[in-house]
Amino acid sequence: MDDRADTDDIFDSNRAASINRREFVRAWSIAGALAVSGVTMPTVAGDESDDDLNEIWTNVLAELPDNWGKWGDDDELGTLNYLDSEQAFRGLQTVLRGGPTRIETFSLQLSYTGESVAGDEPTGDPVFPTRQPARRDNVVDHRHYQNGSAEPLQGGMRFSDDAFITRLFLQGSTQYDALAHVWYERPTDDGTRRPLLYNGYPAETTATKKEYDVDIPGVRPPNPLEEPFSTDLKEEAITKTWGPSKGDISNAAEAGSVGRGVLLDVGRHKVDDPPHRLAPGECVTLEDLKATADVQGIELEKRDIVLIRTGSVERARDPNAEKTWLGDPDEPLREPGLCFSQDLVEFIAEMEFPVLGADNLAVEKLTTAEIDVEEDINADVREAVDFGSRETLEIVNPLHPALITNLGVTLCEILDLQELAASCAEDGIYEFLYAASPLNIENAAGAPVNPVVVKATGARCDKGSPPSDE
Ligand code: UVW
């Protein structure tokens, strides 16, 4: 256990279990509703009736490929380990082939506007329902110097300063999921089931306490071991916090991710008419990814950083588009995205993709995926797992545990791919140098990121010598 966090006071699962689960789910839904200005959160958590389904699904997950132990028992980086010097060089090569005058850069972070998609105007910052857009405000500006509440510094310089004054959800905009972000109860060799993170770290490590010498004023939600879940925050001097001590986002931040990026514009491939957006709730399958690559004339290579465009984030920012996020309180969230199949997971594992990104909330389709046992799960797993009489499984975020917990893949969500996609469509170049590092926040389950793409624009990057500039 690393020494920056003390685990004496880790999450006590027995005490936590005594908090009524229905109460938690109900409160979470209310929390979601509050967080998004009066709109009910779609059902994303289960209750007792789902125990059987949960067991089946986690048995399936345990049969899917994993990278546990591949980079050692103490690995916290997962597939980012694949990004070595060779991968950075492959990325650089895509740019250098364009010659000196054709290099263009794109940053892929969606701006923080503080606007909610639940307002009258259907534009804003798209966030997963338990989260809310973040609003900043000035701490000091010209007004303070005008009214004398601030003095210029010696020499006359004045400055403005600002801070977020609502909660800044670390996964509330373009962000990397840390490997500690999700986990599941995994069947173990001794016949018991244990909640485990990527590489077998116990789930208790997600609630590792850190104590601070100096108090800082802040606000805190209720203690999960003593009070029901609520979004009410109490003012308090902050002297301790809890967070993951294994697979937290600082690992990805310190490693950085640099390599050959590839855009798969599935929206453009599947929808002929502008603005080329997939329909709400539409699946992106493995076949779609392969067909898109084919049509784009690009070969997916091992260890590529793969970015998938669905058009979903663009829809959130389009005042004329149909609302697919939280438009109707009784409707579940409907976002296009990747849909689970065993073949897809195995393809991602075999291709050793280090980072998988998309312009939607969760890379995968939200909220509920319908998994067809016969079609989406292969014979080997069907033989190993007892599905009872179930022909379909309705699972929320099935790919998160399959990719993050099993394989250690870094997911990059809520990307803004609009300009990059337009450039790629214009010049037919879908490969580039991708470089990113999330904010280095100790013990965080995810963090904002602003990936930068460097692309040889305007000249087809056929392998070989750089094009002339004529
Ligand atoms: C969840 O899966 C809860 O969040 P995200 O989509 O941000 O990874």
Side-chain angles (χ1 to χ4, degrees):
M1 192 62 63
D2 82 35
D3 59 10
R4 68 179 178 229
D6 147 24
T7 52
D8 289 350
D9 195 5
I10 55 176
F11 191 82
D12 177 337
S13 51
N14 294 330
R15 283 173 71 201
S18 71
I19 294 174
N20 183 299
R21 190 153 61 134
R22 277 185 195 284
E23 181 64 17
F24 173 82
V25 172
R26 198 185 62 82
W28 200 41
S29 300
I30 293 167
L34 289 174
V36 293
S37 315
V39 180
T40 311
M41 191 188 114
T43 304
V44 293
D47 59 26
E48 282 80 351
S49 62
D50 289 336
D51 283 352
D52 171 43
L53 176 65
N54 294 353
E55 193 173 320
I56 293 172
W57 181 244
T58 49
N59 286 342
V60 171
L61 288 171
E63 294 295 324
L64 296 177
D66 70 59
N67 286 327
W68 293 18
K70 179 166 186 163
W71 296 283
D73 290 344
D74 57 353
D75 180 58
E76 299 180 56
L77 210 48
T79 52
L80 292 183
N81 279 294
Y82 290 132
L83 290 176
D84 53 12
S85 167
E86 199 183 324
Q87 304 318 313
F89 186 68
R90 282 200 315 120
L92 283 166
Q93 275 181 314
T94 68
V95 187
L96 297 177
R97 282 190 211 115
T101 59
R102 292 192 166 121
I103 295 177
E104 212 181 336
T105 57
F106 299 86
S107 70
L108 307 184
Q109 184 178 23
L110 195 67
S111 59
Y112 283 89
T113 68
E115 302 283 352
S116 167
V117 288
D120 290 339
E121 287 288 315
T123 60
D125 297 351
V127 285
F128 194 79
T130 47
R131 304 174 187 140
Q132 64 185 42
R135 292 185 183 161
R136 51 145 305 285
D137 204 357
N138 282 352
V139 172
V140 58
D141 59 32
H142 176 62
R143 293 169 303 171
H144 297 83
Y145 298 99
Q146 259 194 326
N147 70 17
S149 59
E151 292 288 333
L153 299 183
Q154 201 171 336
M157 191 188 85
R158 300 157 190 233
F159 69 98
S160 60
D161 207 6
D162 49 4
F164 281 97
I165 57 165
T166 61
R167 303 175 97 187
L168 173 65
F169 281 79
L170 294 179
Q171 301 184 42
S173 189
T174 313
Q175 46 106 6
Y176 270 13
D177 280 342
L179 300 186
H181 174 45
V182 296
W183 62 94
Y184 63 94
E185 281 204 344
R186 203 168 152 103
T188 57
D189 292 343
D190 63 12
T192 60
R193 307 175 74 83
R194 291 183 60 208
L196 298 174
L197 312 182
Y198 165 74
N199 220 20
Y201 293 117
E204 284 82 355
T205 58
T206 64
T208 305
K209 187 167 78 168
K210 177 173 178 179
E211 288 183 292
Y212 304 84
D213 292 344
V214 178
D215 295 5
I216 294 185
V219 288
R220 184 186 287 291
N223 181 336
L225 303 183
E226 284 158 14
E227 296 162 72
F229 182 89
S230 155
T231 49
D232 292 343
L233 302 173
K234 285 193 208 129
E235 280 187 33
E236 194 183 300
I238 303 300
T239 56
K240 56 193 174 207
T241 52
W242 284 262
S245 55
K246 291 293 171 190
D248 74 298
I249 202 66
S250 65
N251 295 285
E254 280 155 28
S257 14
V258 178
R260 179 198 191 233
V262 169
L263 176 73
L264 293 179
D265 192 343
V266 184
R268 238 180 207 80
H269 163 56
K270 288 184 82 178
V271 184
D272 286 341
D273 294 332
H276 311 290
R277 295 174 190 149
L278 297 181
E282 187 169 346
C283 269
V284 175
T285 63
L286 175 58
E287 291 66 38
D288 291 331
L289 297 183
K290 288 182 174 171
T292 303
D294 274 358
V295 165
Q296 292 177 179
I298 191 148
E299 199 173 319
L300 284 172
E301 294 174 10
K302 255 189 153 172
R303 305 193 176 183
D304 279 344
I305 291 166
V306 176
L307 310 181
I308 299 165
R309 179 183 168 276
T310 66
S312 198
V313 157
E314 292 162 33
R315 188 180 275 126
R317 286 285 164 93
D318 179 348
N320 302 315
E322 179 198 352
K323 282 191 189 191
T324 55
W325 279 293
L326 313 165
D328 177 344
D330 299 321
E331 278 290 315
L333 186 72
R334 287 176 308 141
E335 255 209 314
L338 277 183
C339 279
F340 174 89
S341 72
Q342 185 177 338
D343 287 342
L344 173 71
V345 172
E346 287 175 356
F347 179 73
I348 292 168
E350 279 156 25
M351 292 300 284
E352 301 181 345
F353 293 143
V355 179
L356 207 50
D359 62 342
N360 59 10
L361 291 181
V363 177
E364 61 184 309
K365 168 177 129 82
L366 282 177
T367 46
T368 311
E370 186 159 304
I371 295 169
D372 185 309
V373 173
E374 195 72 22
E375 272 183 24
D376 300 324
I377 298 174
N378 299 343
D380 57 332
V381 175
R382 286 205 309 273
E383 267 163 38
V385 174
D386 180 4
F387 291 89
S389 58
R390 288 178 193 260
E391 290 174 4
T392 55
L393 309 174
E394 290 204 349
I395 308 290
V396 175
N397 285 23
L399 284 169
H400 267 56
L403 299 180
I404 300 177
T405 314
N406 282 6
L407 294 174
V409 175
T410 289
L411 297 187
C412 182
E413 297 164 336
I414 320 183
L415 281 165
D416 182 355
L417 296 176
Q418 190 164 6
E419 280 186 23
L420 174 65
S423 161
C424 294
E426 198 175 315
D427 62 17
I429 299 169
Y430 286 86
E431 60 173 359
F432 35 77
L433 173 73
Y434 171 102
S437 187
L439 293 186
N440 192 344
I441 305 174
E442 203 181 271
N443 302 136
V449 64
N450 187 5
V452 172
V453 153
V454 188
K455 178 170 177 273
T457 296
R460 182 106 198 157
C461 295
D462 293 328
K463 304 218 157 96
S465 52
S468 95
D469 280 319
E470 302 302 285

